[in-house]
Amino acid sequence: MTSEAVESETEAPARRWDTVQPWLSLLVRLSMAGTLIAAAIPKMLDIPQSIIAVRAYRILPEAVVPFVGTMLPFVELILAVFLLAGLFTRISAIVWLLMMAGFVIGVIWAWTHGLSIDCGCFGGGGEVAEGTTNYPLHMLERAGFVLLGTYLLIWPRSKFSADEWMKAA
């Protein structure tokens, strides 16, 4: 086998990755945006319930609970728009990961303090009957969300993104 053949065999996987990666990043970016939209809209339609969900965690001072419960769905929707557009993708991934860290901390807090709550992540939320929460499953879901954000943080370049359009200009 010639050195040129060996070189081309080692370059082939890198070329394949360079071709596939932007499409995977597009899929991840759109999945994250869809998740945020699914989370934001029910909360926007029922802000008082969103405030109840935030209050149920008993982690924030009461003075900021209404502000957080009101603003959270709007922040989620704005982040979804950035992800849909592929604008500031790496920064959007960082914001996503910070939000996921906050949600994970909240769930761990509720779990370790013996609270029985519906997280309110996709609307609803608040206290629920004892034994109806499944915190391990919820944490597994959050781990998946963290993986999505981590992927996009590492590989933010994606197809059909404003980032690529602005870079080309």
Side-chain angles (χ1 to χ4, degrees):
M1 188 178 264
T2 68
S3 64
E4 290 150 357
V6 170
E7 188 174 314
S8 71
E9 283 183 25
T10 58
E11 290 175 3
R15 280 196 308 267
R16 276 194 295 270
W17 175 248
D18 287 343
T19 302
V20 171
Q21 177 273 309
W23 291 101
L24 288 174
S25 292
L26 172 66
L27 182 62
V28 168
R29 191 167 51 86
L30 295 178
S31 297
M32 290 165 62
T35 299
L36 287 164
I37 291 167
I41 289 177
K43 287 183 245 176
M44 291 175 92
L45 295 174
D46 193 354
I47 295 293
Q49 186 61 47
S50 178
I51 294 168
I52 289 168
V54 170
R55 183 175 288 123
Y57 285 92
R58 300 182 199 157
I59 195 170
L60 295 175
E62 181 54 36
V64 299
V65 165
F67 177 76
V68 172
T70 300
M71 295 309 298
L72 180 61
F74 295 97
V75 171
E76 289 171 332
L77 194 59
I78 290 167
L79 183 56
V81 169
F82 277 90
L83 287 165
L84 281 173
L87 185 60
F88 307 117
T89 305
R90 181 168 273 143
I91 294 168
S92 296
I94 291 168
V95 172
W96 166 278
L97 288 167
L98 289 171
M99 289 176 67
M100 291 306 123
F103 295 144
V104 165
I105 289 166
V107 170
I108 290 170
W109 173 272
W111 193 2
T112 59
H113 284 81
L115 303 177
S116 185
I117 64 170
D118 173 349
C119 71
C121 298
F122 296 96
E127 294 186 29
V128 294
E130 189 74 32
T132 59
T133 58
N134 188 343
Y135 292 126
L137 184 60
H138 192 74
M139 293 301 286
L140 187 62
E141 177 185 65
R142 294 293 152 228
F145 292 158
V146 167
L147 286 174
L148 290 175
T150 302
Y151 177 90
L152 204 58
L153 177 65
I154 296 168
W155 294 288
R157 186 175 59 96
S158 62
K159 292 291 186 181
F160 311 115
S161 71
D163 289 341
E164 289 297 313
W165 175 77
M166 290 188 314
K167 190 165 76 172

